[in-house]
Amino acid sequence: MRVPLSWFSDFVDTGLSPRELAHTLTMAGLEAEKITTIGDGWDNVFVGLVARVEPHPDADRLVLATVQAGDHALTVVTGAPNIASGQKVALALAGARLYDGHVEGQVLKTLKPGTIRGVRSEGMVCSEKELGISEEHEGILVLEADAPIGAPLAEWLGDTVIEFEITPNLVHAFSILGIAREAAALCDKPLRLPDAPSLSAAPTGPADLVTIEAPDLCPRYAAVVIEGVTVAPSPPWLQRRLLAAGLRPINNVVDVTNYVMLEWGQPLHAFDRDNLAGGRIIVRRARPGERIETLDHQHRDLSDETLVIADAERAVAIAGVMGGVDSEVSNRTTTVLLESANFAMGSVRATARAQKLRTDASARFERGIDQNLVLDAAGRATRLLLDLCPGSRVAAVSDVYPRPVLPREIQMPFREFERLLGVRLEPETVVDALARLGFGAEIDGDHLRVTVPTRRGDVTLAADVVEEAARIVGYETLPETLPTGETPPVRRDSRHRLSRDVRDTLVGCGGFETVSYVTLHDADVACFADGAGVGFLHTVPRDGLLRLRNPIQSDRAVLRPTLVPSLLEVAAANLRHESGVRLFEIARTYLPSGDTLPSERTVVCLAMAGRRDPIGRFGSDDRRLADGDRHPTDDGHLDFFDLKGSVEAVLDRARVAVRFEPATHPALHSGRTAAVLAGERRIGLLGEVRPDVAAALGIETTRVAVAELDLDAMLDLREPLAGVRIPRFLPVAQDFAVVVAEATPAASVEAALRAAAGPLATSVDLFDVYRGSQVGTDRKSLAYRVVFTAPDRALTDAELVKVRDRIGKTLKQRIGGELRA
Amino acid sequence: MATSVQHDLEELRTRALADLADAVDAPAGEIWEKTYLGPKGELTLFLRGLGALPADERPTAGRAGNALKRELEAAWDSRHRILAAADLDQHLAADAVDVTLPGRPPTIGAAHPVSQMIDELSEIFALLGFQTVFGPEVETAHYNFDLLNIPADHPARDVWDTIHVDLPGEIVMRTHTSPMQARVMEQTEPPVRVVVPGRVYRYEAQDASHEWMFHQLEGLAVDRTITMADLKGVLAELARQLFGPNRRIRFRCDFFPFVEPGVDFAVDCAICGGKGCRVCKQTGWLEMGGAGMVHPKVLAGVGYDPAVYTGFAFGLGIERMTMMRTGVDDVRAFAGNDLRFLRQFAGFA
């Protein structure tokens, strides 16, 4: 809502600067978003008188104007079609900063004297666009006849406009008068109401002038018929106020309706009465199949829930939203039917939404306007119209208002103020604050009786009254206290704790946590789908994917059942400037549940790609650069085993016992994919992304490994940390080199080793994988270091020899392995 | 004792001590030790040869020999220490590095700034008696709007540009963390003190200060004596924990349908101390979030008697808090996940 202060100050003198006024209103709930000064940059622009207009000697479309400003008379070359001698105009001299009239938008440039077709132009006569008043650039701005020649234009036309954001509850302040009333209350200054004569003396219209057939949607309708109207442009002062407030002037009749809407907050509409069949108004729901062409020249289908204004034959306006072209006021109009009415907020809102047509009128109606505003606004508009059209007169007035709204009364215990605010307010303070806002307030024992003006439909409860008093008194008087009373026990959320543990672990593993968008791209859906469905750890049938109805980007409408594509996208973006990335995210996935709301399962997703270490600052002797002993394919790039190491670290931290088994996934490398199993429950999936899939996602040069773990499942599977002892006897480490067939998975070897070694083996670690002539073709040697510890004794050589024999036998039996000497 | 033996010992002593003084480094010392005190050293051999002396000379010669052994051992001991220390010094000198070279980097990542801020806020509020709880991100309109006094077909709903989920009923991406107010109250008897961090979603065009996905933290306290002054006290405490001990809180009247009275709250700018600077856009204040007293209709909607109970609620923007504290000036950076951005948060909080 744009409030020109020149207009605002018709109603109140606050004595405040624009900044102070904006601040005062902002603190009280009317947020000032912007203060603009019209004429701020108008240095070197003056009021000039066009003394003479002559043709340009050398150009058909240009003229030479002699413009007088003060003592000087200057020659100006212009192409303005509307220039005429005797006009008062805005004359810009060299150095003036003006907006370029010939380009879109607002581009400032500095005026320089120039020669146009051989004639020197000593200045410029300005259009509204060049002055920044409006987009108008067809002709020059013509000022009122009483503009003082030679005066700086800013003194004559300058203004300050404060732009307020009007929250949905503040319909009473959705007008210049409403904001002035707030300011008057806040500053404790008197409010001057505009001249709005009563219409009660006017001749009453015929009984059928207005008929309300849908009283549930239209509680009040007033029509004023004004005859002898001459439709013409509005006077400059009116046009200027509309422009400053952000509306385009159209003609005097339409401008008056807009002017009064801005001033009072009551939307009005003017019909050409001669184009109303039967000359009458019927307020009714639209008929089946009924259509209307609205003022924006759209043909609109109306539903039977649409409230329309109709004449005897057809709909002529969508009530509270927009008028129709059939009854539009035009240059030929002589008799105007002025509508000032009240429409049900829900109905206007529903219609505006259904028609996708938000107007200044609908924005006000949908907030619930005071029904008692109707006649004041009609009177004000009538006054203005009669003033602007000499010879016009009120022919008839009809006001249908079957159930007048009366002020609401609220009875409340006075201690309610202290109960909510935590500070005692003096009764006189409260009564005074409410009175300033136009509320009646009476102390009655320990109660307060409040009479709420009907414009304040938002005040219905004691709490509303408390707020009204508090915002006038000011919140800075509130003390700072801490809540007293019983504190409920503060329990920690176990999922939050596990998330933090997992996050700490992965950060310690070099991971950077991401927060990515929750939607998937259509292309991701294709990459992560197979016959079973779409997803990664959790899959969803294609037709069961959750979709957004109005996604921010239309090709990203799927709510993700997996984080993997999101992390791959982040990885791809970062690999443009990073040599390696280790990323992870802990977030929800969204899975259909059959209930009202989807199931939101929290997962941990990891992605790694690129070089393991950023730069070899310490040379190739850095152990972490290569791990060729165990993983012969290692080339210094992050791969499956780096990923698996982090996954294991997470599961260890969470104390979840798992095993890894080969698995498949449509997006993953067929030979480098594993499922994470806890018992028979699959709680994770990891692997390297297929090169073709990675390429499709923009990663072409390196392996990408991804994993997803179900955090909620980990929460269920956590094992307690129990039986922790400090070992009393020294451990004994022995190495076992096990030669097995190439196809034997390491996990089987380890399992056999552990089974045979029994509880004495406190750790089993693979430290070397050897292939070569010493073990024969199609065979490999896996070297493990096993640490033996007994809780109650030092282990003897004899015992260890026995264990070694047992291990040898078990390996042979179970997996056909042999111990290498 | 024969004078010759005595003489020999004296000569050995003089020579040994002179040699020891000449041993200038550890290897020379080792040779000296071997020469005199080693298994085949001169003194050792002398002592071993005592048996060959006549019986009456042996005790005297033995005493003298052992005395010399003690003397040489003591001399060796002190000389050895000096030589060893000198040797070590030399070794260390040779092992010197350029200590201004950068350290060998451990592989450590960083938690996302949003997680860090949530954890920090959760900790601050735990100390103030607030439990951290979490709620669904996909929410019904019933909880997201209706129970929060935001009825359908009311313009108040337009304040939250909503992303709808294609499911039966009116299912939305939660537009704020406030739906958990109702969920928590439905499941608990007062007193209630909770905070709810999490992702929220708006149908909104992105720019430097708008994101369609961001994070909020909701706070709720309900009891028989909760007041707006308590709200101010708790928020002031929060501001001081986050932005420094001298911060002040300002309430400004604002409208949120689920609170009455409703305010937004700001903290005085720590950069300029409230005088006005570029960071606070010359206002002296930085807006932190919205707050107010829980609306009687919200209390009644979950079965709490508004005549008995009062409560306060507030909402903070997590990204906003981080931006205020770290100077990040584009909210899109948070979901941008550029490592060059994330890396800077390795030491945050």
Side-chain angles (χ1 to χ4, degrees):
Chain A
M1 172 92 208
R2 289 169 58 91
V3 176
L5 292 188
S6 60
W7 194 346
F8 170 91
S9 54
D10 283 358
F11 312 126
V12 63
D13 296 316
T14 59
L16 300 178
S17 72
R19 258 187 87 106
E20 290 166 336
L21 177 64
H23 177 74
T24 303
L25 287 164
T26 296
M27 294 305 290
L30 271 164
E31 192 175 359
E33 293 188 305
K34 208 164 128 191
I35 303 178
T36 46
T37 312
I38 297 174
D40 202 12
W42 292 349
D43 297 335
N44 279 342
V45 186
F46 301 90
V47 176
L49 171 71
V50 181
R52 204 164 57 237
V53 179
E54 299 156 297
H56 190 290
D58 199 23
D60 291 345
R61 293 193 171 183
L62 299 176
V63 293
L64 307 182
T66 307
V67 184
Q68 194 189 327
D71 302 332
H72 311 281
L74 305 172
T75 303
V76 174
V77 180
T78 177
N82 63 333
I83 193 163
S85 65
Q87 283 172 341
K88 300 275 180 69
V89 295
L91 173 69
L93 303 182
R97 302 273 294 157
L98 298 170
Y99 294 101
D100 191 334
H102 301 284
V103 299
E104 277 291 305
Q106 295 204 314
V107 181
L108 268 178
K109 60 174 195 182
T110 303
L111 182 65
K112 294 180 208 133
T115 302
I116 304 172
R117 295 263 178 134
V119 180
R120 188 167 169 77
S121 185
E122 295 168 299
M124 188 166 97
V125 284
C126 306
S127 69
E128 288 180 8
K129 174 159 183 172
E130 283 157 343
L131 293 167
I133 299 174
S134 79
E135 281 298 298
E136 182 61 54
H137 190 58
E138 281 296 295
I140 53 163
L141 169 66
V142 179
L143 304 170
E144 284 104 315
D146 54 349
I149 298 168
L153 186 70
E155 279 177 19
W156 178 246
L157 265 195
D159 203 345
T160 301
V161 178
I162 305 182
E163 203 165 328
F164 291 97
E165 189 196 330
I166 309 290
T167 52
N169 59 324
L170 290 184
V171 69
H172 70 279
F174 205 164
S175 64
I176 291 162
L177 186 56
I179 291 170
R181 185 182 275 118
E182 284 281 311
L186 290 165
C187 304
D188 205 6
K189 301 279 187 197
L191 181 77
R192 291 184 297 270
L193 285 175
D195 179 22
S198 163
L199 292 168
S200 55
T204 310
D208 68 349
L209 180 62
V210 174
T211 310
I212 301 177
E213 291 182 357
D216 54 330
L217 302 185
C218 176
R220 186 174 190 181
Y221 196 105
V224 181
V225 179
I226 301 170
E227 294 176 343
V229 170
T230 315
V231 176
S234 295
W237 66 266
L238 200 161
Q239 293 200 22
R240 221 163 39 233
R241 282 191 167 183
L242 287 181
L243 279 170
L247 285 187
R248 282 218 57 74
I250 294 167
N251 60 47
N252 50 5
V253 176
V254 174
D255 290 353
V256 161
T257 61
N258 283 332
Y259 186 89
V260 173
M261 176 186 71
L262 292 173
E263 192 174 81
W264 290 74
Q266 167 72 50
L268 304 173
H269 186 68
F271 297 99
D272 183 333
R273 194 186 181 206
D274 296 333
N275 290 332
L276 291 178
R280 49 187 293 233
I281 290 290
I282 300 163
V283 187
R284 59 166 170 81
R285 286 180 166 80
R287 298 200 177 105
E290 195 162 9
R291 304 189 80 209
I292 187 172
E293 183 184 354
T294 41
L295 290 173
D296 54 359
H297 299 287
Q298 300 289 311
H299 293 272
R300 296 175 184 275
D301 293 317
L302 305 173
S303 87
D304 56 1
E305 274 309 302
T306 310
L307 186 72
V308 297
I309 312 303
D311 59 16
E313 290 164 5
R314 75 253 195 257
V316 292
I318 302 178
V321 181
M322 191 178 269
V325 291
D326 292 351
S327 55
E328 185 178 5
V329 170
S330 71
N331 291 339
R332 296 180 300 279
T333 302
T334 57
T335 304
V336 165
L337 185 143
L338 189 69
E339 164 196 295
S340 181
N342 193 285
F343 304 112
M345 53 192 288
S347 163
V348 173
R349 179 176 158 82
T351 299
R353 283 169 75 94
Q355 296 289 347
K356 293 191 171 58
L357 183 59
R358 274 183 61 92
T359 59
D360 288 314
S362 75
R364 285 168 173 81
F365 278 121
E366 69 171 27
R367 292 169 194 235
I369 299 174
D370 180 11
Q371 296 176 21
N372 292 328
L373 197 53
V374 161
L375 225 48
D376 288 339
R380 173 68 171 154
T382 303
R383 160 92 287 143
L384 287 167
L385 257 184
L386 297 183
D387 285 353
L388 296 185
C389 303
S392 61
R393 60 188 180 84
V394 177
V397 174
S398 186
D399 177 21
V400 183
Y401 188 24
R403 292 167 56 196
V405 174
L406 298 174
R408 177 184 289 117
E409 292 230 332
I410 297 175
Q411 281 265 10
M412 58 190 282
F414 193 78
R415 68 176 176 83
E416 198 64 11
F417 290 94
E418 192 171 355
R419 191 172 85 102
L420 285 175
L421 298 176
V423 64
R424 219 190 104 71
L425 297 183
E426 292 305 319
E428 309 81 69
T429 311
V430 169
V431 169
D432 172 63
L434 293 173
R436 275 154 67 177
L437 287 165
F439 289 62
E442 266 177 71
I443 301 284
D444 183 3
D446 54 4
H447 274 64
L448 181 70
R449 199 165 52 237
V450 182
T451 311
V452 183
T454 56
R455 65 176 172 271
R456 295 303 306 273
D458 58 319
V459 177
T460 60
L461 301 171
D464 299 321
V465 177
V466 172
E467 178 174 76
E468 290 305 308
R471 71 190 183 95
I472 297 295
V473 174
Y475 286 109
E476 64 277 5
T477 59
L478 272 189
E480 289 173 12
T481 56
L482 288 176
T484 52
E486 185 198 340
T487 309
V490 179
R491 301 216 167 81
R492 294 172 302 171
D493 181 270
S494 55
R495 189 192 287 118
H496 188 210
R497 288 187 68 202
L498 180 58
S499 301
R500 287 175 76 156
D501 284 352
V502 168
R503 183 185 308 130
D504 285 351
T505 303
L506 288 173
V507 166
C509 293
F512 282 88
E513 190 187 15
T514 66
V515 170
S516 58
Y517 296 117
V518 295
T519 48
L520 295 190
H521 196 279
D522 291 339
D524 299 332
V525 174
C527 284
F528 284 79
D530 64 5
V534 180
F536 193 76
L537 175 59
H538 305 295
T539 51
V540 175
R542 247 174 204 275
D543 57 4
L545 283 175
L546 295 159
R547 289 178 180 275
L548 301 181
R549 289 205 174 129
N550 54 334
I552 299 296
Q553 287 169 268
S554 59
D555 54 359
R556 288 178 188 264
V558 173
L559 269 182
R560 59 187 180 186
T562 166
L563 312 192
V564 171
S566 314
L567 251 72
L568 288 175
E569 190 175 342
V570 174
N574 275 295
L575 283 170
R576 282 183 221 126
H577 50 79
E578 303 285 332
S579 61
V581 296
R582 289 177 174 87
L583 305 167
F584 74 94
E585 181 158 340
I586 304 169
R588 315 270 178 97
T589 55
Y590 311 87
L591 309 169
S593 69
D595 278 339
T596 314
L597 291 179
S599 153
E600 296 181 18
R601 280 194 86 80
T602 304
V603 299
V604 188
C605 185
L606 292 80
M608 295 181 181
R611 290 199 63 81
R612 189 171 297 126
D613 288 289
I615 43 170
R617 191 194 301 161
F618 292 90
S620 57
D621 64 344
D622 192 323
R623 278 244 353 128
R624 287 175 297 121
L625 267 183
D627 183 24
D629 295 341
R630 288 197 300 181
H631 302 123
T633 57
D634 182 66
D635 61 354
H637 281 73
L638 293 158
D639 67 7
F640 178 85
F641 293 108
D642 295 279
L643 178 80
K644 190 179 174 192
S646 289
V647 166
E648 287 168 329
V650 165
L651 292 164
D652 284 351
R653 173 73 179 257
R655 294 193 309 276
V656 176
V658 298
R659 62 182 198 281
F660 293 82
E661 282 184 1
T664 57
H665 182 275
L668 296 183
H669 187 312
S670 52
R672 290 178 174 229
T673 298
V676 185
L677 297 158
E680 289 316 303
R681 191 166 168 190
R682 182 157 141 156
I683 64 162
L685 181 67
L686 65 156
E688 287 182 16
V689 178
R690 289 173 59 94
D692 53 347
V693 173
L697 296 165
I699 306 174
E700 304 204 13
T701 51
T702 181
R703 294 175 186 274
V704 197
V706 290
E708 202 162 58
L709 298 171
D710 189 326
L711 191 92
D712 290 329
M714 286 162 63
L715 208 52
D716 299 340
L717 295 164
R718 297 194 81 167
E719 288 165 9
L721 189 57
V724 178
R725 302 264 189 287
I726 301 172
R728 289 172 56 209
F729 298 94
L730 284 178
V732 182
Q734 291 208 342
D735 293 346
F736 295 85
V738 187
V739 179
V740 290
E742 183 62 63
T744 310
S748 314
V749 180
E750 189 181 320
L753 256 177
R754 281 184 185 277
L760 291 180
T762 45
S763 73
V764 177
D765 289 305
L766 176 74
F767 66 89
D768 188 37
V769 179
Y770 172 77
R771 291 176 179 84
S773 55
Q774 294 185 39
V775 296
T777 52
D778 253 358
R779 294 177 78 71
K780 63 188 174 187
S781 168
L782 305 179
Y784 290 89
R785 171 153 299 180
V786 182
V787 176
F788 297 98
T789 323
D792 55 350
R793 63 189 190 280
L795 291 168
T796 62
D797 287 348
E799 267 182 291
L800 291 168
V801 168
K802 256 196 239 169
V803 172
R804 196 171 182 93
D805 288 348
R806 194 162 71 230
I807 287 174
K809 277 184 200 139
T810 309
L811 288 171
K812 179 158 267 171
Q813 284 165 6
R814 279 216 194 171
I815 53 171
E818 264 178 66
L819 279 184
R820 203 149 62 99
Chain B
M1 190 169 72
T3 321
S4 66
V5 174
Q6 213 170 4
H7 180 267
D8 287 351
L9 276 179
E10 188 52 40
E11 186 272 334
L12 178 58
R13 179 178 176 273
T14 309
R15 187 157 44 82
L17 291 176
D19 283 356
L20 186 56
D22 288 345
V24 290
D25 55 13
E30 301 296 332
I31 292 169
W32 180 89
E33 204 237 350
K34 203 172 158 191
T35 310
Y36 293 98
L37 297 174
K40 290 177 181 164
E42 283 189 47
L43 186 56
T44 314
L45 293 177
F46 167 80
L47 290 170
R48 219 177 275 162
L50 283 177
L53 291 180
D56 60 332
E57 288 185 18
R58 268 181 238 156
T60 319
R63 268 195 299 276
N66 278 319
L68 180 58
K69 185 179 181 193
R70 280 193 298 278
E71 187 187 351
L72 289 188
E73 276 175 351
W76 163 239
D77 204 46
S78 73
R79 184 67 186 162
H80 175 69
R81 274 174 215 268
I82 293 165
L83 292 180
D87 187 52
L88 185 59
D89 283 346
Q90 209 176 350
H91 217 88
L92 295 181
D95 197 36
V97 294
D98 177 358
V99 295
T100 64
L101 279 176
R104 190 172 282 125
T107 314
I108 296 181
H112 194 279
V114 162
S115 300
Q116 296 187 38
M117 183 54 84
I118 287 175
D119 287 351
E120 187 178 357
L121 290 171
S122 175
E123 188 183 316
I124 292 170
F125 281 109
L127 298 173
L128 290 167
F130 288 76
Q131 178 164 334
T132 301
V133 296
F134 297 85
E137 292 175 17
V138 181
E139 191 50 285
T140 61
H142 180 66
Y143 283 103
N144 197 76
F145 294 123
D146 301 348
L147 283 179
L148 292 170
N149 191 33
I150 312 168
D153 275 329
H154 191 279
R157 273 213 187 177
D158 296 346
V159 174
W160 292 272
D161 299 304
T162 308
I163 297 177
H164 294 269
V165 181
D166 194 6
L167 280 171
E170 197 182 352
I171 309 295
V172 303
M173 298 304 289
R174 68 173 170 193
T175 57
H176 42 192
T177 40
S178 310
M180 273 302 277
Q181 286 189 27
R183 285 186 179 272
V184 168
M185 285 193 281
E186 278 182 344
Q187 286 159 20
T188 338
E189 288 297 313
V192 172
R193 285 193 204 178
V194 293
V195 289
V196 190
R199 299 189 189 213
V200 300
Y201 305 86
R202 302 276 171 88
Y203 186 75
E204 192 145 29
Q206 291 163 288
D207 62 30
S209 44
H210 295 92
E211 251 294 0
W212 72 271
M213 180 188 86
F214 55 101
H215 295 73
Q216 282 187 337
L217 179 126
E218 190 83 2
L220 175 71
V222 184
D223 201 354
R224 290 168 188 270
T225 59
I226 297 287
T227 68
M228 206 154 176
D230 295 339
L231 170 65
K232 199 173 181 186
V234 165
L235 293 175
E237 180 59 24
L238 169 71
R240 285 164 200 156
Q241 294 253 14
L242 281 182
F243 301 112
N246 301 318
R247 301 275 64 80
R248 287 175 298 135
I249 278 288
R250 184 185 79 176
F251 279 179
R252 180 186 87 76
C253 182
D254 201 355
F255 172 71
F256 305 96
F258 38 99
V259 287
E260 188 72 30
V263 293
D264 62 36
F265 58 101
V267 58
D268 63 330
C269 177
I271 309 284
C272 62
K275 287 195 281 287
C277 65
R278 199 178 56 81
V279 171
C280 58
K281 301 198 182 86
Q282 306 306 327
T283 63
W285 295 92
L286 292 163
E287 244 179 70
M288 289 178 71
M293 297 303 289
V294 180
H295 199 286
K297 286 185 185 166
V298 174
L299 291 173
V302 296
Y304 285 11
D305 183 352
V308 175
Y309 294 106
T310 55
F312 67 64
F314 58 85
L316 296 171
I318 302 286
E319 282 85 352
R320 186 172 179 77
M321 294 298 102
T322 310
M323 290 166 84
M324 281 167 66
R325 202 152 75 165
T326 61
V328 173
D329 61 1
D330 190 333
V331 71
R332 290 168 295 191
F334 291 95
N337 296 309
D338 189 316
L339 281 169
R340 294 167 296 181
F341 172 74
L342 296 177
R343 216 171 260 131
Q344 297 179 59
F345 289 92
F348 176 61

